[in-house]
Every structure is written in structure tokens, then in C-alpha cells.
Amino acid sequence: MRDPVTPLPEIGHSEVTASTEDIRSPWRDFLQSFFRHPVAIVSTLFILLLILVAVLAPWIAPYDPQVPDWMALGAGPSAEHWFGTDDLGRDVLSRIIFGARISLYVGLLSVTLGMVLGVLLGLLAGYYGKWLDMLIMRGSDVLFAFPGVMLAIAVVAILGPGLNNVIIAVAVFSVPVFARIVRASTLSIKQSAYIEAVRCVGAPDRVVLLRHILPGTLSNVIVYFTMRIGTSILTAASLSFIGLGPEPDVPEWGNILAMSRNMMMAGKWNVSVFPGLAIFLTVLAFNLLGDALRDTLDPKLQK
């Protein structure tokens, strides 16, 4: 005689809800781990505030950055001009606010260009190897032989001064590091069993590289991308300070520092301190954000 079929236990709504709540998304886990770092919160808020200031610059700047106040030439901080004015009577605070636009634009665009080219070269070098790997890596070694600022100066000296050429120069010295980071990750990932399985089913190299290898390299790329933005802003300001950046009247942080050299000798500290402080805090915030991302995304550093 057949045994009666045992009915399945009924699952209550509360049990389904509890099991659903136990499912954790990677994005939620990342945010919880990331915001455990107080430094990450402070740096993220500062960068978001800086982006907001750059976007709203025409509406929040108290004065036009190019219009001088002839009654306050080289004035110190006051109720009318919080950060004072330069030797031409232009409001320093307004120029710093508008300079945030240019500095973020240069930093983000130059690092993005360097990242795209570097990631592509790193994928090709790590995946195909042989002569292509040797050619790309030896080219990277040549670029590594020059300090970053010196390489940027050489590129701008060849192309000529200007904002677009500064972006190209900063992008060039970002390429080799991205290429090395992605190459190292690609060499490790392409030996994995699932990559061999994808090859066995006949997937083309383009699919293997873009859909299966590239995602495994993104954590390291994101960390370095974030930290490189601060370095790029500092390099662009250095090029502007020595006269290889945009036109002197452009309200860029390096230009503001360059224009303040004569005033520093006269004891006008405000024209140099405030833009220098803006550069310092911005670079520090991006570096601290990169450190927090590294601690969050690197499983070896997880506690």
C-alpha cells in the first residue's frame, strides 16, 4: 500500500518576509562598510559640496571674477570681500569659487582619458602577452622614467600652453599606472577556471575581455581613479603657476597663486593662502576618499 503523501508545511507571510530581508545586496554591503569610516564620510561630503559650489558658481559667487573693484585694490579680508581682493581689485572668493569649476573639470576629464587608454592597454597586454605585452610595458617604463610633473611640462612644452593641452599632459602621465594595474589584474583573472570555461564555449576575445575580465579589474581602477583626481588637480595647478596653463586672467587656482607672488612680498597673505588652502583640502579629500574605497573594496583589508 502506498504511503500517503506528506503535505508540505505551509510557509507563513512572516517567514517569507524574514527570509527576504536576510538577502543582502552587494551595493548595500558596500555602503555599510564604506560609511563605517568617519574619514570617508567627511571627504565625501566635502567633495559633494565642492561639486555643488562648482555647478552653482554663477549664482553663489558674490562678484564677477573678472570685474575689478577699483576702490579695493589689494584689500585684505573684509565684510565686502571675505577673502580680500588681488592687486587688480578682483574678489578672491569669487575667483576661487569659479576656479573650482576649472580644477574639477581638468581633474575629472584628464584622469578619465588616462583611465580609458590605460585600461585598454592593460587589458591587451595582460590578455595577449608576448610581443604586445612587451611593447606596451616598455612604453610604460619610458613614461615612468620621468617624474609626473616633468612629463606634463614636457608635453605642454611640445603642444603649447592652454587648458586643453594641460588636460592632455595630465592624461598622458596617468596612462602607464592604469595600464600596469589592469595588466596585473588581467594576468591573474585570465587563469581562472571560469575564463577557461568561457573560452571553451567559443566566446570571442572581445566578450571575454569586456564581460568577464574587465569587471574583475574595476575595484582597483576605481580606487586609483579617485586618488589620481587629486594628483591631477595639483599637477594642473603647478603648470598654471609656472605659466604653462590657461591664460593668466582665467580664474584657475594655479593662476590665482601665480598672480599673488608679488603681493606675498608686500605681506598680502590672503591672496595666496586661500587658493592654496582650496588646493590642499581638495587633494586631501580625494586621497582620503581613495583610501576609504581601497579599505572597502579590497577583501584582504576587510576585518
Side-chain angles (χ1 to χ4, degrees):
M1 184 174 178
R2 297 177 59 185
D3 295 334
V5 178
T6 303
L8 295 174
E10 295 184 0
I11 301 176
H13 177 71
S14 60
E15 296 178 3
V16 174
T17 304
S19 61
T20 304
E21 291 177 352
D22 291 339
I23 300 175
R24 302 173 63 87
S25 67
W27 178 247
R28 180 181 176 184
D29 291 341
F30 165 77
L31 290 179
Q32 288 180 348
S33 178
F34 178 75
F35 286 110
R36 287 195 190 104
H37 305 276
V39 173
I41 299 175
V42 174
S43 59
T44 302
L45 291 176
F46 180 83
I47 292 172
L48 291 177
L49 177 62
L50 185 66
I51 294 173
L52 185 64
V53 167
V55 172
L56 301 178
W59 295 276
I60 64 176
Y63 300 94
D64 189 315
Q66 303 287 23
V67 176
D69 182 357
W70 300 111
M71 303 301 295
L73 298 179
S78 63
E80 294 183 354
H81 302 281
W82 290 3
F83 289 1
T85 61
D86 60 12
D87 55 350
L88 298 179
R90 297 173 298 189
D91 185 66
V92 175
L93 175 59
S94 300
R95 292 179 65 79
I96 291 176
I97 290 175
F98 275 87
R101 279 185 156 190
I102 300 175
S103 295
L104 288 177
Y105 170 74
V106 172
L108 289 172
L109 183 57
S110 61
V111 177
T112 300
L113 293 176
M115 178 194 67
V116 171
L117 184 55
V119 167
L120 177 61
L121 293 176
L123 286 173
L124 295 177
Y127 186 76
Y128 291 106
K130 298 181 181 179
W131 65 269
L132 184 60
D133 182 23
M134 183 183 66
L135 180 63
I136 294 174
M137 288 300 101
R138 297 298 78 78
S140 298
D141 291 340
V142 171
L143 295 180
F144 272 124
F146 300 92
V149 176
M150 294 299 296
L151 180 61
I153 291 174
V155 173
V156 174
I158 295 172
L159 300 178
L163 186 61
N164 292 331
N165 293 339
V166 169
I167 294 174
I168 295 173
V170 176
V172 166
F173 86 86
S174 299
V175 169
V177 186
F178 280 110
R180 281 191 174 275
I181 291 174
V182 175
R183 173 184 177 270
S185 299
T186 303
L187 289 173
S188 175
I189 295 172
K190 78 173 185 178
Q191 305 297 330
S192 304
Y194 75 92
I195 297 297
E196 295 296 333
V198 172
R199 288 176 177 172
C200 290
V201 299
D205 291 345
R206 173 177 55 83
V207 174
V208 176
L209 285 170
L210 298 181
R211 295 187 58 182
H212 300 283
I213 293 182
L214 178 60
T217 67
L218 290 182
S219 60
N220 293 329
V221 170
I222 291 172
V223 171
Y224 187 74
F225 177 86
T226 306
M227 301 180 72
R228 197 67 175 180
I229 293 175
T231 305
S232 300
I233 291 174
L234 183 60
T235 303
S238 301
L239 293 175
S240 299
F241 185 79
I242 61 177
L244 296 178
E247 297 296 325
D249 61 334
V250 175
E252 194 269 341
W253 289 344
N255 273 346
I256 300 174
L257 281 174
M259 296 293 291
S260 69
R261 283 178 290 191
N262 294 331
M263 298 185 66
M264 283 190 292
M265 302 301 296
K268 302 293 185 178
W269 56 271
N270 55 293
V271 185
S272 58
V273 168
F274 290 120
L277 189 61
I279 296 172
F280 169 75
L281 292 177
T282 302
V283 174
L284 179 63
F286 277 107
N287 287 340
L288 292 177
L289 178 60
D291 286 338
L293 288 173
R294 182 193 59 192
D295 295 341
T296 304
L297 296 174
D298 191 346
K300 298 179 181 177
L301 299 177
Q302 296 291 332
K303 295 182 180 180

